Short mmCIF file of all heavy atoms in Angstrom, two decimals:
data_model
loop_
_atom_site.label_atom_id
_atom_site.label_comp_id
_atom_site.label_asym_id
_atom_site.label_seq_id
_atom_site.Cartn_x
_atom_site.Cartn_y
_atom_site.Cartn_z
N SER A 267 11.56 -14.22 32.04
CA SER A 267 10.24 -14.51 32.52
C SER A 267 9.20 -13.50 31.93
O SER A 267 8.14 -13.88 31.47
CB SER A 267 10.15 -14.40 34.07
OG SER A 267 11.09 -15.26 34.65
N ALA A 268 9.64 -12.27 31.98
CA ALA A 268 8.71 -11.21 31.44
C ALA A 268 8.36 -11.52 29.97
O ALA A 268 7.22 -11.38 29.58
CB ALA A 268 9.35 -9.83 31.56
N PHE A 269 9.36 -11.92 29.18
CA PHE A 269 9.07 -12.16 27.77
C PHE A 269 8.35 -13.45 27.54
O PHE A 269 7.55 -13.57 26.58
CB PHE A 269 10.39 -12.05 26.95
CG PHE A 269 10.71 -10.59 26.63
CD1 PHE A 269 11.53 -9.85 27.46
CD2 PHE A 269 10.11 -9.97 25.52
CE1 PHE A 269 11.79 -8.49 27.14
CE2 PHE A 269 10.35 -8.66 25.25
CZ PHE A 269 11.19 -7.94 26.10
N TYR A 270 8.61 -14.46 28.36
CA TYR A 270 7.84 -15.73 28.20
C TYR A 270 6.38 -15.40 28.48
O TYR A 270 5.49 -15.83 27.76
CB TYR A 270 8.28 -16.77 29.20
CG TYR A 270 9.58 -17.45 28.89
CD1 TYR A 270 10.62 -17.54 29.79
CD2 TYR A 270 9.78 -18.05 27.63
CE1 TYR A 270 11.80 -18.16 29.50
CE2 TYR A 270 10.99 -18.67 27.32
CZ TYR A 270 12.01 -18.69 28.28
OH TYR A 270 13.18 -19.32 27.97
N LEU A 271 6.12 -14.61 29.49
CA LEU A 271 4.74 -14.26 29.85
C LEU A 271 4.11 -13.49 28.70
O LEU A 271 2.94 -13.68 28.32
CB LEU A 271 4.68 -13.45 31.11
CG LEU A 271 4.61 -14.28 32.36
CD1 LEU A 271 4.65 -13.35 33.63
CD2 LEU A 271 3.34 -15.09 32.44
N PHE A 272 4.90 -12.55 28.13
CA PHE A 272 4.43 -11.77 27.01
C PHE A 272 4.01 -12.67 25.85
O PHE A 272 2.90 -12.49 25.27
CB PHE A 272 5.51 -10.78 26.58
CG PHE A 272 5.20 -10.06 25.32
CD1 PHE A 272 4.17 -9.17 25.18
CD2 PHE A 272 5.91 -10.34 24.13
CE1 PHE A 272 3.89 -8.54 24.03
CE2 PHE A 272 5.70 -9.72 22.94
CZ PHE A 272 4.63 -8.82 22.89
N ILE A 273 4.89 -13.60 25.54
CA ILE A 273 4.56 -14.48 24.38
C ILE A 273 3.33 -15.31 24.68
O ILE A 273 2.40 -15.38 23.88
CB ILE A 273 5.74 -15.40 24.12
CG1 ILE A 273 6.94 -14.57 23.61
CG2 ILE A 273 5.38 -16.47 23.12
CD1 ILE A 273 8.12 -15.45 23.22
N LEU A 274 3.31 -15.96 25.87
CA LEU A 274 2.23 -16.87 26.16
C LEU A 274 0.87 -16.15 26.22
O LEU A 274 -0.14 -16.73 25.81
CB LEU A 274 2.49 -17.61 27.44
CG LEU A 274 3.59 -18.69 27.30
CD1 LEU A 274 4.02 -19.20 28.68
CD2 LEU A 274 3.06 -19.86 26.48
N THR A 275 0.86 -14.95 26.72
CA THR A 275 -0.45 -14.31 26.92
C THR A 275 -0.91 -13.46 25.74
O THR A 275 -2.10 -13.40 25.46
CB THR A 275 -0.44 -13.41 28.17
OG1 THR A 275 0.65 -12.53 28.06
CG2 THR A 275 -0.28 -14.23 29.44
N THR A 276 0.03 -12.85 25.01
CA THR A 276 -0.44 -11.92 23.96
C THR A 276 -0.06 -12.43 22.54
O THR A 276 -0.68 -12.01 21.58
CB THR A 276 0.12 -10.53 24.07
OG1 THR A 276 1.52 -10.57 23.83
CG2 THR A 276 -0.11 -9.98 25.45
N SER A 277 0.95 -13.22 22.41
CA SER A 277 1.34 -13.59 21.05
C SER A 277 1.80 -15.05 21.01
O SER A 277 2.97 -15.33 20.73
CB SER A 277 2.45 -12.69 20.51
OG SER A 277 3.06 -11.94 21.53
N ASN A 278 0.86 -15.89 21.26
CA ASN A 278 1.24 -17.31 21.40
C ASN A 278 1.41 -17.95 20.00
O ASN A 278 0.47 -17.98 19.24
CB ASN A 278 0.12 -18.10 22.15
CG ASN A 278 0.59 -19.42 22.62
OD1 ASN A 278 1.39 -20.07 21.95
ND2 ASN A 278 0.10 -19.84 23.77
N PRO A 279 2.61 -18.42 19.71
CA PRO A 279 2.79 -18.98 18.38
C PRO A 279 2.16 -20.37 18.23
O PRO A 279 2.08 -20.91 17.12
CB PRO A 279 4.30 -19.10 18.25
CG PRO A 279 4.81 -19.15 19.69
CD PRO A 279 3.84 -18.37 20.48
N PHE A 280 1.71 -20.97 19.37
CA PHE A 280 1.18 -22.27 19.28
C PHE A 280 -0.35 -22.34 19.38
O PHE A 280 -0.96 -23.38 19.65
CB PHE A 280 1.80 -23.20 20.39
CG PHE A 280 3.26 -23.44 20.20
CD1 PHE A 280 4.19 -22.79 20.95
CD2 PHE A 280 3.71 -24.32 19.21
CE1 PHE A 280 5.55 -22.98 20.80
CE2 PHE A 280 5.06 -24.53 19.03
CZ PHE A 280 6.00 -23.85 19.82
N ALA A 281 -0.99 -21.18 19.18
CA ALA A 281 -2.45 -21.18 19.21
C ALA A 281 -2.95 -22.07 18.06
O ALA A 281 -2.40 -22.06 16.99
CB ALA A 281 -2.95 -19.77 19.05
N ARG A 282 -4.05 -22.86 18.35
CA ARG A 282 -4.47 -23.82 17.32
C ARG A 282 -5.81 -23.40 16.70
O ARG A 282 -6.61 -22.63 17.29
CB ARG A 282 -4.69 -25.19 18.03
CG ARG A 282 -3.43 -25.71 18.72
CD ARG A 282 -2.34 -26.12 17.79
NE ARG A 282 -2.66 -27.17 16.88
CZ ARG A 282 -2.49 -28.47 17.13
NH1 ARG A 282 -2.04 -28.86 18.32
NH2 ARG A 282 -2.81 -29.43 16.27
N LEU A 283 -6.08 -23.94 15.53
CA LEU A 283 -7.35 -23.79 14.87
C LEU A 283 -8.04 -25.17 14.86
O LEU A 283 -7.41 -26.13 14.41
CB LEU A 283 -7.14 -23.34 13.44
CG LEU A 283 -6.44 -21.97 13.24
CD1 LEU A 283 -6.05 -21.76 11.81
CD2 LEU A 283 -7.32 -20.86 13.76
#
Side-chain angles (χ1 to χ4, degrees):
Chain A
S267 304
F269 276 93
Y270 286 128
L271 274 176
F272 170 67
I273 293 185
L274 285 168
T275 53
T276 70
S277 16
N278 196 327
F280 294 104
R282 303 292 297 273
L283 299 169

